[in-house]
Amino acid sequence: MASANPFHSILKTLEKPQGGEFGKYYSLPALNDPRIDKLPYSIKILLESAIRNCDEFQVKSKDVEKIIDWENTSPKQVEIPFKPARVLLQDFTGVPAVVDLACMRDAMNKLGGDSNKINPLVPVDLVIDHSVQVDVARSENAVQANMELEFQRNKERFAFLKWGSSAFDNMLVVPPGSGIVHQVNLEYLGRVVFNTNGVLYPDSVVGTDSHTTMIDGLGVAGWGVGGIEAEAAMLGQPMSMVLPGVVGFKLLGKLRDGVTATDLVLTVTQMLRKHGVVGKFVEFYGEGMSELSLADRATIANMSPEYGATMGFFPVDHVTLQYLQLTGRSDETIAMIESYLRANKMFVDYNEPQIEKVYSSYLQLKLEEVEPCISGPKRPHDRVPLKEMKADWHACLDNRVGFKGFAIPKESQDKVAKFSFHGTLAELRHGDVVIAAITSCTNTSNPSVMLGAALVAKKACELGLEVKPWIKTSLAPGSGVVTKYLQKSGLQKYLNQLGFHIVGYGCTTCIGNSGDIDESVASAISENDMVAAAVLSGNRNFEGRVHPLTRANYLASPPLVVAYALAGTVDIDFEAEPIGTGKDGKKIFFRDIWPSSEEVASVVQSSVLPDMFKATYEAITKGNPMWNQLSVPSGSLYAWSPTSTYIHEPPYFKDMTMSPPGPHGVKDAYCLLNFGDSITTDHISPAGSIHKDSPAAKFLLEHGVDRRDFNSYGSRRGNDEIMARGTFANIRLVNKLLKGEVGPKTIHIPTGEKLSVYDAAMRYKTAGQDTIILAGAEYGSGSSRDWAAKGPMLLGVKAVIAKSFERIHRSNLVGMGIIPLCFKSGEDADTLGLTGHERYTIDLPSCVSEIRPGQDVTVATDSGRSFTCTVRFDTEVELAYFNHGGILQYVIRNLIGSKQ
């Protein structure tokens, strides 16, 4: 049972300079342990949380000692509990979280427990950053039109979340139209230091989107977790995590003129991906830190999932305090933050001598060596220096199909597809840009690159350059603040002139919501097998994500997005070839439209003002007319509608009893899918638009939903029937069972029939047959998506055998009762001669006490071949979840009071 905090003696009072006190805090210096001074700042946050929450039950003194002794314990993969200060939910991921909470209340009722115990015990911030379909781009009223469209489509979902804000305590819901969750978190929600009931402690957050890491740029420890993990944290469960190694990344010097924060982040991403940082923290330090704005830091931190780290952390310093002031935090709050962090030796003052921190490994980058670049055509860490882009593009056309190849025959590479665009003759070549989007939280929080893009537009317009009318252009800032400073600068009109109208404040092209390409362009691409390109300032460019018809997708800074839109192709050498012809007939080059760093800094200084942030976020509490007019049911239990295609009661707690079901092995399971390397959560989880021939589309049509009202998978995440049908529905899925054919189908092994993945899975389930998945390295990389684990569970998948897993996805699989197994080093399905046509038996002990984290088990096949795998239950807590059939069942039984 819980006992009094054994660290009560180090609870000190923090005095205000002018008299009075800020509150009490657990003082790390008061421990008088020299090891603490050498700890990375990010590890100190874990330490403070463990000390403050120590009750010798959920968090123990020995856990505190493990963290203090981090230098020796972190290489040993030790387990620690962590209680974040708050939980951040995004609209799409928040809906299933609230669905699950509502569902848990019902289950609690049926089991005789007090349903009101199902309530967030830590603050929950839920931001409805509705995903914007860019169907009304290139118009002045795009924002309003998109908002009306979103409310028309998602009224039921929004109403459900509005119900949740009143039904559940400790939950703040930020209404639609305010901004992207990560930018709202950075500009408004981030506390940096909490003061709760007179106790001060560092802000820390876990969020249901992997880009929660953006807040690390503000010195707030935060990272993405699956919805199921977040729900457990909301309900007071400590997160069980392996004490991470920390990579120290030293920054020196300053960026050269004309080099953007995006160029820097793509360089950092490539370096860290090469270094290998999966499951680790990255902590930035060094003299170059003072040259990076908070927005630049946030850009780097945002991309943590792309380089594979748990987080990319920037400790709090004077730059952080200046940003807090800029974004409208009060002087008293900022004074409290600085006083507390200085008192607890968690503040970096570069005017003072620095105590050398110890890191697990070290990297260094001289900022002046960063050069302009983009990444693609299919992965965020495939960086291409801008000067090498043309040569790289032609190599991609030549190369065999893969991450850097399209295998276009030489004789077809100069092909020209002629088409009629609204009565005008037009041409399309390989590499021509059809989508150019300034989008995604990565860059749209950064005034220097946003105003840089506007300056490019201004210079281009003044010289008479235009964007071809069939290129789908759009601008989706992270918050209303961006609109204010673009208007204040007088530069928005130039973006408008080139077609970059503001379409809304949410995820757009980066998540696949680019809307339809003009029919004539789409036909020209499809009928001529053209490799069309999209250029976006987002963070994800995996195949099939941006748009089904853009096979080449490049990540670039916002100014470069404008430049490529003007050029109309990625097949260009910006140093030697003109972008276009000006109004006076002269050739215009890249250098003619590119602003200097001084130009950008000047317009940032004069246009980005504190009042803009205050005005934007004061509006949050007032809501907006459409949100305020939504009528919602009252009551703490939700009234499920059996006819709803948006909100549906999932079957997770069907037939649940008070007794845990215990561990389960797998017997004579069929292989549902056989994958190679780098299967992302975009391949697994339903995302983007619902294809007209998909099982999900069939379900919606059968339920009377017109095709034009299908909406996206993201908007329907509260309906398990649709999400199960959309699992593994990605059109770019490469399944070895199909022998080279690409698409969301598989072979039903017993009959040899080719079926959709969903139909094959249901065939197995109906016959009472288990299934497994074979996979290569980095299975589940990309965004954290709880449906990438929930979906396979609903399809009947019992285990995934892979070479390696992405951190969050492996954890989510465990949380849904799916067994993650790793092949032994040097082995995979191919080297073991596995085709996927075998039947698989995984023999696990029937008692959870006989299973150890990371133990070996034998997998036997009906072909007579057996092999050894490592079971990836990494902690004792994960074993407990598996014993209960999943994390949510574990929490319910724990709240009711059963023995664990």
Side-chain angles (χ1 to χ4, degrees):
M1 294 295 292
S3 60
N5 192 318
F7 294 95
H8 184 74
S9 63
I10 63 166
L11 193 62
K12 306 293 183 185
T13 299
L14 185 66
E15 307 285 349
K16 291 182 178 179
Q18 68 274 26
E21 60 182 62
F22 286 116
K24 298 191 180 299
Y25 70 103
Y26 285 89
S27 170
L28 301 185
L31 287 171
N32 292 316
D33 193 319
R35 293 174 295 176
I36 295 175
D37 286 339
K38 291 187 175 182
L39 288 178
Y41 290 96
S42 49
I43 297 299
K44 283 186 178 182
I45 291 175
L46 302 183
L47 174 61
E48 190 283 337
S49 174
I51 288 171
R52 178 167 37 86
N53 290 294
C54 189
D55 60 359
E56 300 297 4
F57 180 57
Q58 289 187 328
V59 183
K60 301 180 180 179
S61 296
K62 65 180 183 182
D63 297 316
V64 173
E65 172 57 27
K66 286 178 189 174
I67 302 172
I68 292 175
D69 199 34
W70 170 84
E71 187 177 351
N72 297 311
T73 54
S74 62
K76 300 173 184 174
Q77 295 285 290
V78 301
E79 172 192 352
I80 61 159
F82 174 58
K83 287 194 170 189
R86 62 189 171 99
V87 172
L88 181 69
L89 300 178
Q90 179 255 6
D91 177 10
F92 285 172
T93 46
V95 168
V98 179
V99 164
D100 289 354
L101 286 173
C103 203
M104 288 171 75
R105 277 193 170 173
D106 290 344
M108 194 84 149
N109 253 8
K110 290 169 187 170
L111 290 170
D114 179 3
S115 64
N116 287 324
K117 281 188 176 179
I118 305 291
N119 245 325
L121 295 181
V122 301
V124 174
D125 300 321
L126 193 158
V127 180
I128 305 180
D129 61 349
H130 64 296
S131 185
V132 182
Q133 280 289 140
V134 191
D135 292 329
V136 286
R138 288 187 175 243
S139 65
E140 294 286 358
N141 66 341
V143 175
Q144 182 64 22
N146 258 320
M147 182 71 81
E148 289 171 2
L149 184 65
E150 288 302 306
F151 266 85
Q152 175 191 325
R153 288 173 167 173
N154 302 310
K155 184 177 180 182
E156 186 181 345
R157 193 173 97 243
F158 292 167
F160 173 69
L161 291 175
K162 192 175 178 183
W163 166 81
S165 68
S166 58
F168 296 105
D169 297 332
N170 225 5
M171 183 182 285
L172 168 70
V173 175
V174 176
S178 305
I180 294 174
V181 58
H182 319 296
Q183 194 157 341
V184 173
N185 193 26
L186 188 76
E187 294 174 352
Y188 178 66
L189 297 172
R191 279 74 153 180
V192 185
V193 171
F194 264 89
N195 188 343
T196 303
N197 300 323
V199 177
L200 305 171
Y201 53 96
D203 187 5
S204 57
V205 59
V206 293
T208 54
D209 188 291
S210 57
H211 290 107
T212 299
T213 55
M214 189 177 198
I215 199 67
D216 301 328
L218 194 66
V220 174
W223 59 86
V225 296
I228 39 194
E229 265 188 303
E231 289 162 31
M234 285 158 50
L235 295 166
Q237 295 297 305
M239 285 179 49
S240 182
M241 61 184 287
V242 173
L243 187 60
V246 182
V247 178
F249 199 122
K250 191 172 188 178
L251 297 171
L252 300 168
K254 65 181 293 185
L255 294 173
R256 286 182 292 137
D257 186 44
V259 176
T260 69
T262 314
D263 301 323
L264 171 60
V265 75
L266 294 178
T267 303
V268 168
T269 297
Q270 186 183 46
M271 288 177 67
L272 287 170
R273 181 60 78 171
K274 183 179 179 182
H275 186 75
V277 293
V278 172
K280 297 176 184 176
F281 290 175
V282 177
E283 186 165 295
F284 294 88
Y285 70 105
E287 65 188 53
M289 289 279 281
S290 60
E291 296 295 333
L292 291 186
S293 71
L294 198 291
D296 290 349
R297 298 173 183 193
T299 306
I300 295 169
N302 182 291
M303 287 282 274
S304 294
E306 280 66 49
Y307 44 82
T310 302
M311 65 175 181
F313 186 75
F314 291 81
V316 175
D317 60 13
H318 286 108
V319 174
T320 321
L321 299 181
Q322 288 163 7
Y323 183 79
L324 293 173
Q325 195 168 33
L326 172 68
T327 50
R329 272 76 162 193
S330 72
D331 290 342
E332 183 170 354
T333 296
I334 296 170
M336 176 198 73
I337 289 169
E338 182 175 4
S339 297
Y340 167 77
L341 293 175
R342 282 187 182 276
N344 234 355
K345 297 202 173 173
M346 299 167 88
F347 184 86
V348 183
D349 191 333
Y350 291 104
N351 295 318
E352 297 175 357
Q354 300 297 301
I355 296 175
E356 196 70 26
K357 303 295 178 187
V358 174
Y359 295 109
S360 309
S361 61
Y362 297 81
L363 280 173
Q364 180 173 297
L365 175 64
K366 293 178 180 177
L367 295 176
E368 60 268 22
E369 292 178 358
V370 176
E371 58 183 326
C373 56
I374 65 176
S375 280
K378 302 180 185 183
R379 294 190 302 185
H381 52 282
D382 290 335
R383 187 180 69 90
V384 185
L386 205 58
K387 63 188 178 188
E388 298 172 17
M389 181 57 192
K390 188 177 181 76
D392 192 82
W393 170 252
H394 284 277
C396 287
L397 290 179
D398 289 331
N399 294 345
R400 63 184 177 82
V401 174
F403 295 125
K404 293 289 289 185
F406 299 103
I408 303 299
K410 281 285 187 189
E411 62 273 15
S412 302
Q413 291 184 11
D414 294 325
K415 185 176 187 178
V416 178
K418 297 183 182 295
F419 65 101
S420 174
F421 180 79
H422 298 252
T424 303
L425 190 63
E427 296 180 345
L428 203 66
R429 293 173 174 80
H430 292 300
D432 277 5
V433 175
V434 295
I435 292 175
I438 300 174
T439 179
S440 150
C441 48
T442 310
N443 293 281
T444 57
S445 68
N446 195 324
S448 65
V449 290
M450 296 300 285
L451 288 165
L455 285 171
V456 170
K458 178 177 186 286
K459 290 172 184 280
C461 290
E462 288 172 348
L463 290 167
L465 294 180
E466 296 178 345
V467 174
K468 292 182 176 70
W470 57 81
I471 297 177
K472 187 151 198 178
T473 46
S474 61
L475 168 58
S479 80
V481 176
V482 182
T483 301
K484 288 182 171 64
Y485 65 64
L486 282 173
Q487 289 173 342
K488 165 78 174 169
S489 68
L491 296 173
Q492 179 65 53
K493 63 183 178 184
Y494 299 108
L495 287 165
N496 291 350
Q497 194 173 322
L498 296 182
F500 289 95
H501 291 278
I502 293 175
V503 296
Y505 308 101
C507 299
T508 55
T509 304
C510 193
I511 194 70
N513 284 347
S514 50
D516 293 331
I517 292 173
D518 188 89
E519 209 171 288
S520 63
V521 181
S523 297
I525 295 170
S526 302
E527 292 167 10
N528 295 280
D529 196 27
M530 304 304 290
V531 184
V535 183
L536 63 151
S537 66
N539 42 42
R540 299 283 163 77
N541 57 339
F542 302 120
E543 269 191 289
R545 178 182 174 105
V546 173
H547 193 283
L549 294 177
T550 58
R551 284 154 67 187
N553 302 285
Y554 285 94
L555 305 183
S557 66
L560 275 177
V561 170
V562 177
Y564 273 109
L566 290 163
T569 179
V570 297
D571 184 8
I572 183 172
D573 178 351
F574 278 142
E575 288 189 5
E577 298 176 83
I579 279 181
T581 305
K583 56 191 174 187
D584 58 1
K586 286 185 180 177
K587 290 180 178 178
I588 307 298
F589 288 84
F590 178 79
R591 57 183 171 271
D592 299 325
I593 62 170
W594 199 254
S596 68
S597 298
E598 286 75 17
E599 285 179 275
V600 174
S602 174
V603 75
V604 169
Q605 184 71 27
S606 61
S607 304
V608 185
L609 307 171
D611 286 349
M612 296 176 178
F613 292 90
K614 288 178 182 174
T616 299
Y617 289 110
E618 278 171 6
I620 282 179
T621 53
K622 299 173 185 172
N624 60 62
M626 284 181 277
W627 171 260
N628 294 338
Q629 287 162 18
L630 281 177
S631 60
V632 298
S634 58
S636 63
L637 295 176
Y638 189 70
W640 305 99
S641 167
T643 59
S644 172
T645 56
Y646 277 99
I647 309 296
H648 183 259
E649 184 178 12
Y652 308 139
F653 308 109
K654 189 179 178 184
D655 304 324
M656 179 180 168
T657 63
M658 280 298 296
S659 301
H664 61 80
V666 176
K667 186 170 176 60
D668 291 332
Y670 285 100
C671 177
L672 179 64
L673 294 151
N674 183 3
F675 293 131
D677 295 343
S678 295
I679 291 296
T680 71
T681 49
D682 284 333
H683 291 112
I684 306 167
S685 181
S689 57
I690 297 172
H691 194 271
K692 59 184 176 63
D693 298 322
S694 66
K698 184 180 176 186
F699 175 87
L700 288 169
L701 290 170
E702 288 171 353
H703 284 73
V705 178
D706 193 273
R707 185 163 282 146
R708 69 173 180 272
D709 296 322
F710 277 3
N711 214 330
S712 65
Y713 281 114
S715 64
R716 294 187 180 274
R717 287 180 84 143
N719 189 308
D720 57 285
E721 295 276 12
I722 290 164
M723 298 302 279
R725 286 164 171 79
T727 302
F728 297 113
N730 189 294
I731 61 168
R732 299 292 180 192
L733 205 65
V734 178
N735 171 16
K736 293 179 184 178
L737 294 177
L738 294 179
K739 299 190 182 303
E741 184 182 338
V742 178
K745 293 188 181 295
T746 194
I747 300 297
H748 180 250
I749 304 297
T751 62
E753 288 182 71
K754 184 166 69 174
L755 302 170
S756 72
V757 176
Y758 174 79
D759 289 339
M762 291 305 103
R763 186 87 64 89
Y764 287 125
K765 277 190 88 169
T766 302
Q769 296 160 335
D770 289 345
T771 55
I772 60 112
I773 288 170
L774 295 175
E778 297 182 343
Y779 182 76
S781 58
S783 296
S784 72
R785 298 186 186 280
D786 53 336
W787 273 109
K790 288 178 177 177
M793 183 274 289
L794 292 173
L795 294 182
V797 173
K798 301 299 181 187
V800 178
I801 309 174
K803 286 175 72 175
S804 62
F805 291 92
E806 194 277 334
R807 176 185 64 88
I808 300 172
H809 185 60
R810 184 205 58 78
S811 176
N812 284 352
L813 290 174
V814 175
M816 295 314 294
I818 295 174
I819 307 167
L821 298 137
C822 275
F823 290 108
K824 285 296 182 181
S825 179
E827 295 183 348
D828 59 21
D830 291 340
T831 63
L832 292 168
L834 304 173
T835 66
H837 288 261
E838 307 85 358
R839 298 187 76 173
Y840 295 80
T841 296
I842 304 164
D843 192 15
L844 278 180
S846 58
C847 179
V848 73
S849 62
E850 296 175 20
I851 307 175
R852 301 182 315 280
Q855 79 176 52
D856 287 348
V857 296
T858 299
V859 181
T861 68
D862 63 342
S863 66
R865 180 180 294 276
S866 295
F867 54 98
T868 303
C869 285
T870 302
V871 180
R872 289 295 310 279
F873 300 129
D874 287 359
T875 65
E876 296 292 339
V877 172
E878 288 187 347
L879 280 172
Y881 295 158
F882 186 64
N883 185 51
H884 280 258
I887 192 171
L888 300 181
Q889 293 85 344
Y890 169 87
V891 169
I892 288 177
R893 293 190 183 101
N894 190 39
L895 285 172
I896 290 177
S898 64
K899 290 182 180 178
Q900 304 304 313

